Amino acid sequence: MRIALFEDQQVANFSPIALLRPVFELRCGHFTARERIEQTLPIQEWGGLIRPWLEETYRALHPDARINDEAWLAQRPTLLVNGRWLGDPRTLTHVDAGRVGIVDEQVAWIVVSPDEAVLIDANAPSDGIEQLARTRKPIDAGGRLVAHPWDLVHHNGRQLTTDYQLRSRAQHPVGSTPQFAIQGSLQDVHIDLTAEIDPYVVIDVRRGPVWIDGGVRLLPFTRIEGPCFIGRETQVFRAHVREGTSIGPVCRVGGEIEESILHGFANKYHDGFLGHSYVCPWVNLGALTSNSDLKNDYSHVSVPVAGASVDTGSTKVGCFIGDHTKTALGTLFNTGSSIGVMTMLLPGGELLPKHVPSFSRLWHGELQPLPEGIGPSVEIARTAMARRNRELTPAMERLLQEVCRQTEAERQRAFARAKGQPQVAARSADSGSRLTAGELT
Protein backbone atom coordinates (compact mmCIF):
# COMPACT_ATOMS: atom_id res chain seq x y z
CA MET A 1 0.00 0.00 0.00
CA ARG A 2 1.28 3.48 -0.94
CA ILE A 3 0.11 6.47 1.12
CA ALA A 4 0.98 10.14 1.39
CA LEU A 5 -0.37 12.39 4.13
CA PHE A 6 -0.94 16.00 3.13
CA GLU A 7 -1.45 19.36 4.82
CA ASP A 8 -4.18 21.54 3.35
CA GLN A 9 -4.87 25.27 3.58
CA GLN A 10 -6.34 25.04 7.09
CA VAL A 11 -3.01 24.15 8.68
CA ALA A 12 -2.56 27.79 9.77
CA ASN A 13 -5.51 27.32 12.15
CA PHE A 14 -3.38 24.98 14.28
CA SER A 15 -0.95 27.63 15.47
CA PRO A 16 0.90 27.45 17.83
CA ILE A 17 0.88 23.66 18.36
CA ALA A 18 1.71 22.83 14.71
CA LEU A 19 4.35 25.51 14.14
CA LEU A 20 7.16 22.95 14.47
CA ARG A 21 5.46 19.83 13.05
CA PRO A 22 3.09 18.70 10.30
CA VAL A 23 -0.55 18.70 11.34
CA PHE A 24 -0.66 14.90 11.01
CA GLU A 25 1.91 14.68 13.82
CA LEU A 26 -0.48 16.16 16.39
CA ARG A 27 -1.73 13.67 18.96
CA CYS A 28 -5.33 12.63 19.55
CA GLY A 29 -6.15 9.46 21.43
CA HIS A 30 -3.19 7.07 21.51
CA PHE A 31 -1.61 8.25 18.28
CA THR A 32 -0.85 10.95 15.80
CA ALA A 33 -2.67 10.53 12.46
CA ARG A 34 0.48 9.09 10.90
CA GLU A 35 1.05 6.63 13.73
CA ARG A 36 -2.56 5.44 13.60
CA ILE A 37 -2.32 4.68 9.87
CA GLU A 38 1.06 2.95 10.25
CA GLN A 39 -0.26 0.85 13.14
CA THR A 40 -3.33 -0.23 11.18
CA LEU A 41 -2.47 -0.63 7.48
CA PRO A 42 0.10 -2.71 5.54
CA ILE A 43 2.09 0.21 4.12
CA GLN A 44 5.04 -0.47 1.81
CA GLU A 45 5.83 3.16 0.96
CA TRP A 46 4.73 6.43 2.47
CA GLY A 47 5.34 10.12 2.06
CA GLY A 48 4.11 13.54 3.08
CA LEU A 49 3.18 16.87 1.53
CA ILE A 50 4.07 19.47 4.15
CA ARG A 51 5.07 23.11 4.56
CA PRO A 52 8.53 23.50 2.97
CA TRP A 53 10.26 24.89 6.07
CA LEU A 54 9.43 21.65 7.94
CA GLU A 55 11.08 19.43 5.32
CA GLU A 56 14.61 19.30 6.71
CA THR A 57 13.76 18.33 10.27
CA TYR A 58 10.97 15.95 9.24
CA ARG A 59 13.17 14.09 6.77
CA ALA A 60 15.78 13.64 9.50
CA LEU A 61 13.14 12.15 11.82
CA HIS A 62 11.68 9.90 9.08
CA PRO A 63 14.40 9.02 6.58
CA ASP A 64 12.21 6.32 5.02
CA ALA A 65 9.51 8.83 4.03
CA ARG A 66 9.28 10.65 0.70
CA ILE A 67 8.64 14.26 1.65
CA ASN A 68 7.40 16.79 -0.92
CA ASP A 69 8.70 14.44 -3.63
CA GLU A 70 6.75 15.08 -6.82
CA ALA A 71 8.80 12.51 -8.79
CA TRP A 72 7.82 9.82 -6.27
CA LEU A 73 4.14 10.75 -6.61
CA ALA A 74 4.41 10.30 -10.38
CA GLN A 75 5.74 6.73 -10.15
CA ARG A 76 2.64 4.80 -9.03
CA PRO A 77 -0.95 5.41 -7.88
CA THR A 78 -0.88 6.92 -4.38
CA LEU A 79 -3.58 7.29 -1.76
CA LEU A 80 -3.47 10.86 -0.43
CA VAL A 81 -4.91 11.25 3.08
CA ASN A 82 -5.72 14.59 4.68
CA GLY A 83 -3.56 15.04 7.79
CA ARG A 84 -6.57 16.52 9.61
CA TRP A 85 -8.68 13.38 9.11
CA LEU A 86 -9.65 11.64 12.33
CA GLY A 87 -11.19 8.44 11.04
CA ASP A 88 -10.85 4.67 10.94
CA PRO A 89 -7.82 3.74 8.79
CA ARG A 90 -9.32 0.31 8.12
CA THR A 91 -11.78 1.96 5.72
CA LEU A 92 -8.79 2.82 3.48
CA THR A 93 -7.87 -0.80 2.79
CA HIS A 94 -9.86 -1.06 -0.46
CA VAL A 95 -10.65 2.41 -1.74
CA ASP A 96 -12.06 3.03 -5.21
CA ALA A 97 -9.82 5.19 -7.37
CA GLY A 98 -12.92 6.65 -9.02
CA ARG A 99 -14.22 8.05 -5.73
CA VAL A 100 -13.13 10.68 -3.25
CA GLY A 101 -13.69 10.50 0.50
CA ILE A 102 -15.45 13.63 1.76
CA VAL A 103 -16.14 15.03 5.23
CA ASP A 104 -18.09 18.29 5.49
CA GLU A 105 -17.50 18.98 1.77
CA GLN A 106 -13.72 18.71 2.22
CA VAL A 107 -11.35 16.05 0.89
CA ALA A 108 -10.42 13.37 3.44
CA TRP A 109 -8.74 11.02 0.93
CA ILE A 110 -8.24 10.57 -2.79
CA VAL A 111 -6.25 8.20 -5.05
CA VAL A 112 -3.96 10.02 -7.47
CA SER A 113 -2.59 8.31 -10.58
CA PRO A 114 0.92 9.04 -11.97
CA ASP A 115 -0.59 11.06 -14.84
CA GLU A 116 -2.56 13.21 -12.40
CA ALA A 117 0.38 13.83 -10.06
CA VAL A 118 1.62 16.67 -12.31
CA LEU A 119 -1.35 18.75 -11.09
CA ILE A 120 -0.13 18.67 -7.49
CA ASP A 121 2.37 21.18 -6.18
CA ALA A 122 4.07 19.34 -3.32
CA ASN A 123 4.58 22.54 -1.34
CA ALA A 124 0.94 23.66 -1.73
CA PRO A 125 -1.16 20.63 -2.70
CA SER A 126 -4.66 21.86 -1.88
CA ASP A 127 -5.54 23.41 -5.26
CA GLY A 128 -4.48 20.35 -7.24
CA ILE A 129 -6.23 17.94 -4.90
CA GLU A 130 -9.47 19.93 -5.02
CA GLN A 131 -9.28 20.03 -8.82
CA LEU A 132 -8.91 16.25 -8.99
CA ALA A 133 -11.67 15.75 -6.41
CA ARG A 134 -14.15 17.36 -8.81
CA THR A 135 -13.50 14.50 -11.25
CA ARG A 136 -14.45 11.82 -8.70
CA LYS A 137 -17.70 10.55 -7.25
CA PRO A 138 -17.91 11.81 -3.65
CA ILE A 139 -18.60 9.37 -0.81
CA ASP A 140 -18.76 9.84 2.94
CA ALA A 141 -15.30 9.08 4.37
CA GLY A 142 -16.62 8.76 7.92
CA GLY A 143 -14.87 10.22 10.92
CA ARG A 144 -14.22 13.96 11.01
CA LEU A 145 -11.77 16.61 9.91
CA VAL A 146 -10.40 18.55 12.87
CA ALA A 147 -10.17 22.28 12.19
CA HIS A 148 -8.54 23.82 15.28
CA PRO A 149 -6.44 22.69 18.26
CA TRP A 150 -9.46 22.45 20.56
CA ASP A 151 -11.04 19.88 18.21
CA LEU A 152 -8.25 17.45 19.09
CA VAL A 153 -9.03 17.90 22.79
CA HIS A 154 -12.80 17.71 22.26
CA HIS A 155 -12.59 14.39 20.38
CA ASN A 156 -9.84 12.90 22.51
CA GLY A 157 -12.06 10.86 24.83
CA ARG A 158 -13.86 9.07 22.01
CA GLN A 159 -10.62 8.55 20.10
CA LEU A 160 -9.00 6.99 23.18
CA THR A 161 -11.73 4.34 23.25
CA THR A 162 -11.48 3.73 19.49
CA ASP A 163 -7.69 3.40 19.56
CA TYR A 164 -7.85 0.98 22.49
CA GLN A 165 -10.11 -1.27 20.42
CA LEU A 166 -7.84 -1.00 17.35
CA ARG A 167 -4.73 -2.23 19.15
CA SER A 168 -3.71 -5.78 19.88
CA ARG A 169 -2.96 -6.36 23.55
CA ALA A 170 -0.57 -8.45 25.63
CA GLN A 171 -2.09 -8.08 29.06
CA HIS A 172 0.10 -7.61 32.12
CA PRO A 173 -0.72 -10.45 34.50
CA VAL A 174 -2.64 -9.06 37.47
CA GLY A 175 -2.61 -11.29 40.54
CA SER A 176 -5.61 -12.04 42.73
CA THR A 177 -4.34 -9.58 45.35
CA PRO A 178 -2.61 -6.77 43.44
CA GLN A 179 -1.07 -3.92 45.41
CA PHE A 180 -2.96 -1.42 43.27
CA ALA A 181 -6.70 -1.21 42.65
CA ILE A 182 -8.60 -1.65 39.38
CA GLN A 183 -12.19 -0.42 39.35
CA GLY A 184 -14.14 -1.96 36.48
CA SER A 185 -13.40 -4.78 34.04
CA LEU A 186 -9.87 -6.11 33.53
CA GLN A 187 -10.69 -6.27 29.81
CA ASP A 188 -10.56 -2.48 29.75
CA VAL A 189 -7.03 -2.25 31.16
CA HIS A 190 -3.78 -2.77 29.25
CA ILE A 191 -0.61 -2.69 31.32
CA ASP A 192 2.65 -3.30 29.47
CA LEU A 193 4.90 -5.94 30.97
CA THR A 194 7.64 -3.35 31.55
CA ALA A 195 5.40 -0.87 33.38
CA GLU A 196 5.84 -0.37 37.13
CA ILE A 197 2.82 0.35 39.32
CA ASP A 198 3.40 1.10 42.99
CA PRO A 199 0.96 0.42 45.84
CA TYR A 200 -1.93 2.82 46.46
CA VAL A 201 -2.55 3.44 42.76
CA VAL A 202 -6.15 3.35 41.47
CA ILE A 203 -7.02 2.65 37.81
CA ASP A 204 -10.71 3.32 37.17
CA VAL A 205 -12.04 1.96 33.85
CA ARG A 206 -15.75 2.20 34.55
CA ARG A 207 -16.14 5.04 32.02
CA GLY A 208 -13.55 3.92 29.48
CA PRO A 209 -10.37 1.90 28.90
CA VAL A 210 -6.87 2.72 30.16
CA TRP A 211 -3.67 1.90 28.26
CA ILE A 212 -0.38 1.93 30.21
CA ASP A 213 2.55 1.73 27.78
CA GLY A 214 6.04 0.28 28.19
CA GLY A 215 8.38 1.70 30.81
CA VAL A 216 5.66 3.76 32.50
CA ARG A 217 5.90 4.26 36.24
CA LEU A 218 2.86 5.12 38.38
CA LEU A 219 3.86 6.26 41.86
CA PRO A 220 1.74 5.91 45.02
CA PHE A 221 -1.45 7.93 45.49
CA THR A 222 -2.05 8.27 41.74
CA ARG A 223 -5.55 7.87 40.30
CA ILE A 224 -6.06 7.21 36.56
CA GLU A 225 -9.59 7.47 35.13
CA GLY A 226 -10.45 6.08 31.69
CA PRO A 227 -10.54 6.61 28.89
CA CYS A 228 -6.85 7.44 29.17
CA PHE A 229 -3.49 6.76 27.52
CA ILE A 230 -0.13 6.91 29.31
CA GLY A 231 2.76 6.79 26.81
CA ARG A 232 6.06 4.98 27.11
CA GLU A 233 8.53 5.90 29.87
CA THR A 234 6.21 8.50 31.35
CA GLN A 235 6.26 8.91 35.13
CA VAL A 236 3.13 9.90 37.03
CA PHE A 237 3.62 11.30 40.54
CA ARG A 238 0.73 11.27 43.06
CA ALA A 239 -1.52 12.66 40.31
CA HIS A 240 -5.25 12.71 39.57
CA VAL A 241 -5.48 11.99 35.84
CA ARG A 242 -9.11 12.37 34.88
CA GLU A 243 -10.99 10.87 31.94
CA GLY A 244 -10.26 11.93 28.37
CA THR A 245 -6.52 12.49 28.88
CA SER A 246 -3.62 11.46 26.63
CA ILE A 247 -0.09 11.68 27.99
CA GLY A 248 2.56 10.99 25.37
CA PRO A 249 6.00 9.46 25.80
CA VAL A 250 8.63 10.54 28.34
CA CYS A 251 6.49 13.00 30.31
CA ARG A 252 6.68 13.84 34.01
CA VAL A 253 3.21 14.42 35.40
CA GLY A 254 1.72 15.45 38.74
CA GLY A 255 -1.29 17.38 40.04
CA GLU A 256 -4.73 17.27 38.40
CA ILE A 257 -5.24 16.80 34.66
CA GLU A 258 -8.62 16.67 32.93
CA GLU A 259 -9.40 15.97 29.25
CA SER A 260 -6.02 17.21 28.06
CA ILE A 261 -3.27 16.11 25.69
CA LEU A 262 0.40 16.23 26.60
CA HIS A 263 2.06 15.56 23.27
CA GLY A 264 5.22 14.00 24.74
CA PHE A 265 8.48 15.05 26.42
CA ALA A 266 6.58 17.58 28.56
CA ASN A 267 6.91 18.28 32.27
CA LYS A 268 4.05 18.98 34.64
CA TYR A 269 5.69 17.49 37.70
CA HIS A 270 4.09 19.60 40.44
CA ASP A 271 0.61 20.31 41.78
CA GLY A 272 -1.66 22.51 39.69
CA PHE A 273 -4.67 22.05 37.39
CA LEU A 274 -4.50 21.44 33.62
CA GLY A 275 -7.85 21.10 31.87
CA HIS A 276 -9.04 20.84 28.24
CA SER A 277 -5.59 21.80 26.99
CA TYR A 278 -2.87 20.75 24.53
CA VAL A 279 0.77 20.94 25.66
CA CYS A 280 3.62 20.54 23.17
CA PRO A 281 7.03 18.90 23.73
CA TRP A 282 9.73 20.45 25.89
CA VAL A 283 7.24 22.57 27.82
CA ASN A 284 7.95 22.85 31.53
CA LEU A 285 5.05 23.93 33.75
CA GLY A 286 6.42 25.26 37.04
CA ALA A 287 4.97 24.45 40.44
CA LEU A 288 1.29 25.43 40.90
CA THR A 289 0.87 26.42 37.26
CA SER A 290 -2.87 26.17 36.54
CA ASN A 291 -5.33 27.09 33.83
CA SER A 292 -8.97 28.08 33.69
CA ASP A 293 -11.15 25.98 31.37
CA LEU A 294 -14.57 27.48 32.16
CA LYS A 295 -15.86 31.07 32.21
CA ASN A 296 -17.87 32.46 35.10
CA ASP A 297 -20.89 33.05 32.88
CA TYR A 298 -20.66 29.62 31.15
CA SER A 299 -20.58 31.26 27.72
CA HIS A 300 -18.57 30.05 24.72
CA VAL A 301 -14.82 30.43 24.95
CA SER A 302 -12.84 32.21 22.23
CA VAL A 303 -9.18 31.44 21.54
CA PRO A 304 -6.57 33.63 19.79
CA VAL A 305 -5.31 31.85 16.66
CA ALA A 306 -2.22 33.66 15.36
CA GLY A 307 -3.53 36.64 17.34
CA ALA A 308 -7.09 36.66 15.91
CA SER A 309 -9.93 35.66 18.25
CA VAL A 310 -11.94 32.58 17.18
CA ASP A 311 -15.17 31.43 18.86
CA THR A 312 -14.75 27.74 19.75
CA GLY A 313 -18.47 27.09 20.19
CA SER A 314 -17.60 25.31 23.45
CA THR A 315 -17.84 26.25 27.12
CA LYS A 316 -14.91 24.04 28.18
CA VAL A 317 -11.60 25.15 26.64
CA GLY A 318 -8.23 25.47 28.33
CA CYS A 319 -4.87 26.53 26.91
CA PHE A 320 -2.69 25.61 23.94
CA ILE A 321 1.03 25.80 24.62
CA GLY A 322 3.75 25.69 21.95
CA ASP A 323 7.09 23.88 22.17
CA HIS A 324 9.90 24.88 24.55
CA THR A 325 7.75 27.23 26.64
CA LYS A 326 8.59 27.57 30.34
CA THR A 327 6.36 28.81 33.17
CA ALA A 328 7.48 30.04 36.57
CA LEU A 329 6.00 29.35 40.00
CA GLY A 330 2.26 30.06 40.24
CA THR A 331 1.57 30.86 36.57
CA LEU A 332 -2.18 31.27 35.90
CA PHE A 333 -3.52 30.78 32.36
CA ASN A 334 -6.81 32.37 31.37
CA THR A 335 -9.66 30.49 29.68
CA GLY A 336 -8.85 29.82 26.03
CA SER A 337 -5.21 30.93 26.06
CA SER A 338 -2.76 30.59 23.17
CA ILE A 339 0.88 30.51 24.25
CA GLY A 340 3.44 30.40 21.45
CA VAL A 341 6.68 28.56 20.85
CA MET A 342 9.66 29.25 23.14
CA THR A 343 8.00 31.77 25.47
CA MET A 344 9.21 32.54 28.98
CA LEU A 345 6.48 33.28 31.52
CA LEU A 346 7.11 34.96 34.86
CA PRO A 347 3.69 35.87 36.30
CA GLY A 348 2.82 39.08 38.07
CA GLY A 349 0.25 37.57 40.45
CA GLU A 350 -2.69 37.78 38.02
CA LEU A 351 -4.07 35.81 35.10
CA LEU A 352 -1.86 35.97 32.02
CA PRO A 353 -3.07 37.63 28.82
CA LYS A 354 -4.81 35.14 26.55
CA HIS A 355 -2.31 35.60 23.75
CA VAL A 356 1.44 35.35 24.31
CA PRO A 357 3.15 35.21 20.89
CA SER A 358 6.05 32.93 20.06
CA PHE A 359 9.59 33.94 21.06
CA SER A 360 8.53 36.50 23.64
CA ARG A 361 8.32 36.71 27.41
CA LEU A 362 5.83 37.85 30.00
CA TRP A 363 7.91 39.56 32.66
CA HIS A 364 6.08 40.49 35.88
CA GLY A 365 2.89 41.08 33.91
CA GLU A 366 4.50 42.94 30.97
CA LEU A 367 4.68 41.39 27.50
CA GLN A 368 8.18 41.91 26.10
CA PRO A 369 10.55 40.69 23.38
CA LEU A 370 13.16 38.19 24.47
CA PRO A 371 15.85 40.59 25.77
CA GLU A 372 18.80 38.91 24.04
CA GLY A 373 17.03 37.37 21.07
CA ILE A 374 16.35 33.65 20.85
CA GLY A 375 19.98 32.55 21.39
CA PRO A 376 19.74 32.01 25.18
CA SER A 377 16.38 30.22 24.79
CA VAL A 378 17.90 27.90 22.20
CA GLU A 379 20.65 27.02 24.66
CA ILE A 380 18.04 26.32 27.35
CA ALA A 381 16.25 24.04 24.87
CA ARG A 382 19.51 22.25 24.14
CA THR A 383 20.05 21.63 27.86
CA ALA A 384 16.46 20.48 28.45
CA MET A 385 16.58 18.01 25.57
CA ALA A 386 19.92 16.59 26.69
CA ARG A 387 18.32 15.81 30.09
CA ARG A 388 16.04 13.38 28.22
CA ASN A 389 18.83 12.02 26.00
CA ARG A 390 17.71 14.00 22.98
CA GLU A 391 19.71 16.40 20.81
CA LEU A 392 18.77 19.82 19.50
CA THR A 393 20.22 19.37 16.03
CA PRO A 394 21.42 22.18 13.74
CA ALA A 395 18.36 21.50 11.55
CA MET A 396 16.04 21.99 14.54
CA GLU A 397 17.81 25.22 15.40
CA ARG A 398 17.35 26.45 11.83
CA LEU A 399 13.65 25.59 12.05
CA LEU A 400 13.32 27.63 15.25
CA GLN A 401 15.02 30.56 13.54
CA GLU A 402 12.67 30.27 10.56
CA VAL A 403 9.52 30.09 12.70
CA CYS A 404 10.79 33.08 14.66
CA ARG A 405 10.95 35.05 11.39
CA GLN A 406 7.53 33.86 10.29
CA THR A 407 5.87 34.90 13.55
CA GLU A 408 7.48 38.36 13.69
CA ALA A 409 4.41 40.23 12.44
CA GLU A 410 2.14 38.48 14.97
CA ARG A 411 4.60 39.33 17.71
CA GLN A 412 4.79 43.01 16.79
CA ARG A 413 0.98 43.30 16.73
CA ALA A 414 0.80 41.73 20.19
CA PHE A 415 3.45 44.13 21.56
CA ALA A 416 1.55 47.09 20.09
CA ARG A 417 -1.72 45.96 21.69
CA ALA A 418 0.01 45.41 25.03
CA LYS A 419 1.37 48.95 25.02
CA GLY A 420 -1.89 50.55 23.95
CA GLN A 421 -4.33 48.54 26.07
CA PRO A 422 -3.47 47.65 29.67
CA GLN A 423 -4.28 44.05 30.55
CA VAL A 424 -7.17 43.67 32.98
CA ALA A 425 -7.55 40.24 34.51
CA ALA A 426 -10.85 39.13 36.00
CA ARG A 427 -10.24 37.34 39.28
CA SER A 428 -11.68 33.95 40.08
CA ALA A 429 -15.03 33.70 41.79
CA ASP A 430 -14.63 29.96 42.39
CA SER A 431 -13.23 28.70 45.67
CA GLY A 432 -12.66 25.20 44.23
CA SER A 433 -9.56 23.74 42.61
CA ARG A 434 -10.35 25.19 39.17
CA LEU A 435 -9.83 28.78 38.26
CA THR A 436 -12.78 30.32 36.47
CA ALA A 437 -12.47 33.70 34.86
CA GLY A 438 -14.01 36.11 32.48
CA GLU A 439 -12.01 36.36 29.30
CA LEU A 440 -9.57 39.13 28.51
CA THR A 441 -10.42 41.19 25.48
Side-chain angles (χ1 to χ4, degrees):
M1 194 170 192
R2 203 171 196 258
I3 284 183
L5 291 146
F6 69 90
E7 294 188 307
D8 63 13
Q9 294 172 335
Q10 291 203 41
V11 68
N13 292 341
F14 288 86
S15 178
I17 65 173
L19 286 175
L20 298 184
R21 60 187 50 81
V23 70
F24 50 80
E25 293 294 349
L26 295 172
R27 188 175 301 280
C28 185
H30 291 201
F31 304 113
T32 69
R34 173 191 58 81
E35 291 170 341
R36 186 172 295 106
I37 286 174
E38 287 187 336
Q39 286 274 339
T40 309
L41 301 179
I43 298 174
Q44 286 79 44
E45 297 178 83
W46 75 279
L49 306 176
I50 65 178
R51 288 158 284 166
W53 54 88
L54 298 176
E55 285 183 31
E56 184 182 19
T57 54
Y58 198 71
R59 283 197 181 107
L61 290 171
H62 302 282
D64 58 327
R66 307 300 290 266
I67 304 302
N68 291 355
D69 190 337
E70 294 176 359
W72 177 76
L73 280 178
Q75 289 173 2
R76 292 169 53 196
T78 304
L79 175 62
L80 301 187
V81 180
N82 195 320
R84 298 187 294 111
W85 185 57
L86 201 59
D88 186 345
R90 293 172 297 186
T91 63
L92 303 176
T93 305
H94 301 290
V95 297
D96 185 340
R99 298 173 182 257
V100 56
I102 298 294
V103 175
D104 295 332
E105 301 182 352
Q106 300 173 74
V107 176
W109 56 258
I110 187 171
V111 178
V112 175
S113 70
D115 291 342
E116 294 171 325
V118 297
L119 297 175
I120 296 177
D121 179 350
N123 291 323
S126 289
D127 290 345
I129 289 172
E130 290 173 6
Q131 181 179 345
L132 291 173
R134 290 192 286 271
T135 70
R136 308 290 204 271
K137 182 177 180 180
I139 63 170
D140 182 9
R144 58 195 62 85
L145 287 172
V146 293
H148 295 93
W150 50 88
D151 293 334
L152 296 166
V153 175
H154 177 71
H155 295 298
N156 198 52
R158 279 170 288 188
Q159 194 62 48
L160 283 163
T161 300
T162 299
D163 287 344
Y164 187 89
Q165 295 166 350
L166 280 174
R167 303 182 74 170
S168 60
R169 291 180 287 146
Q171 192 73 25
H172 190 302
V174 178
S176 58
T177 57
Q179 291 179 303
F180 59 92
I182 295 176
Q183 296 180 293
S185 171
L186 290 178
Q187 295 301 313
D188 291 327
V189 185
H190 169 88
I191 302 173
D192 188 271
L193 292 170
T194 62
E196 297 181 38
I197 304 181
D198 288 351
Y200 306 110
V201 168
V202 176
I203 300 175
D204 185 347
V205 293
R206 290 174 293 183
R207 293 190 177 184
V210 171
W211 186 285
I212 309 296
D213 223 337
V216 167
R217 186 172 181 198
L218 305 182
L219 275 74
F221 310 110
T222 288
R223 178 180 176 85
I224 309 289
E225 297 176 1
C228 182
F229 170 75
I230 311 292
R232 62 176 177 82
E233 297 179 36
T234 281
Q235 298 180 22
V236 184
F237 304 88
R238 63 206 174 275
H240 185 184
V241 182
R242 303 184 64 186
E243 61 187 86
T245 294
S246 293
I247 302 174
V250 198
C251 291
R252 302 291 184 267
V253 174
E256 181 184 5
I257 303 177
E258 178 184 15
E259 293 193 43
S260 293
I261 301 171
L262 278 72
H263 185 101
F265 293 89
N267 280 4
K268 185 201 173 299
Y269 183 91
H270 301 284
D271 286 341
F273 174 71
L274 182 74
H276 295 85
S277 299
Y278 195 111
V279 179
C280 284
W282 310 113
V283 169
N284 187 78
L285 301 179
L288 301 180
T289 293
S290 294
N291 78 279
S292 166
D293 62 359
L294 180 68
K295 293 167 64 177
N296 279 342
D297 60 4
Y298 305 102
S299 61
H300 287 178
V301 178
S302 63
V303 175
V305 177
S309 183
V310 178
D311 185 349
T312 67
S314 176
T315 61
K316 296 281 281 187
V317 181
C319 56
F320 305 93
I321 306 177
D323 300 62
H324 297 288
T325 281
K326 306 290 188 287
T327 76
L329 175 73
T331 299
L332 304 178
F333 290 112
N334 207 341
T335 323
S337 290
S338 174
I339 311 299
V341 169
M342 201 165 267
T343 64
M344 302 292 287
L345 305 175
L346 180 66
E350 295 183 330
L351 288 168
L352 271 61
K354 289 187 60 171
H355 177 223
V356 180
S358 297
F359 306 99
S360 63
R361 72 174 186 174
L362 196 79
W363 198 249
H364 296 291
E366 182 182 351
L367 185 63
Q368 301 175 348
L370 293 174
E372 300 176 56
I374 75 169
S377 293
V378 168
E379 292 307 311
I380 293 170
R382 196 184 314 279
T383 299
M385 293 178 70
R387 287 163 57 90
R388 298 290 180 263
N389 300 313
R390 293 295 186 273
E391 178 188 3
L392 182 70
T393 65
M396 293 176 185
E397 188 171 345
R398 286 190 288 273
L399 175 58
L400 287 167
Q401 296 279 0
E402 174 61 25
V403 173
C404 184
R405 286 191 290 271
Q406 292 197 19
T407 55
E408 177 64 23
E410 175 190 342
R411 199 157 40 253
Q412 293 305 320
R413 289 193 297 269
F415 294 155
R417 285 196 299 268
K419 289 179 181 179
Q421 298 179 3
Q423 300 292 339
V424 179
R427 298 185 181 276
S428 173
D430 184 358
S431 59
S433 62
R434 290 179 189 77
L435 295 168
T436 60
E439 296 189 86
L440 298 183
T441 56

